[in-house]
Amino acid sequence: MGSVIDVAFAIDWGLPVFVTEGNFDDKAIEGPRAGLKYLQQNFKKRSGQPYWTAVSACNSALLGRSTPDHARVCFIAAYADHMCKMGGH
């Protein structure tokens, strides 16, 4: 029989990360679950070390293997990298 993996879907970051969703329309990303969803659904280019580091960090935080705030830092780095690749929009 397989083992059960605990996943902490309800954990949040200490502070939300605000991402731009168009002109003056910001969206709050509250934790690793929302961060992972945003990375997978909103990044036009899913490539580069910051992206994959953030995906891994969010997964690790959800599994309790790392802190949510480490995932937050990785998410911010991936978002900044993505915005640079997209020309800021």
Side-chain angles (χ1 to χ4, degrees):
M1 176 153 271
S3 61
V4 176
I5 299 173
D6 288 326
V7 179
F9 288 120
I11 60 172
D12 286 336
W13 293 326
L15 295 170
V17 176
F18 290 91
V19 296
T20 301
E21 294 278 312
N23 294 336
F24 304 106
D25 187 20
D26 293 341
K27 178 179 181 177
I29 306 298
E30 301 283 346
R33 181 178 184 200
L36 185 59
K37 183 177 178 180
Y38 189 86
L39 290 165
Q40 294 172 335
Q41 294 181 352
N42 295 86
F43 274 39
K44 293 176 184 167
K45 295 183 180 180
R46 293 177 191 94
S47 64
Q49 192 60 50
Y51 174 82
W52 292 111
T53 299
V55 168
S56 177
C58 286
N59 277 321
S60 290
L62 290 171
L63 294 171
R65 296 180 182 153
S66 68
T67 66
D69 287 323
H70 172 73
R72 181 181 184 273
V73 169
C74 295
F75 177 83
I76 291 169
Y79 181 73
D81 183 65
H82 176 71
M83 293 304 288
C84 288
K85 288 178 183 176
M86 301 309 297
H89 46 266

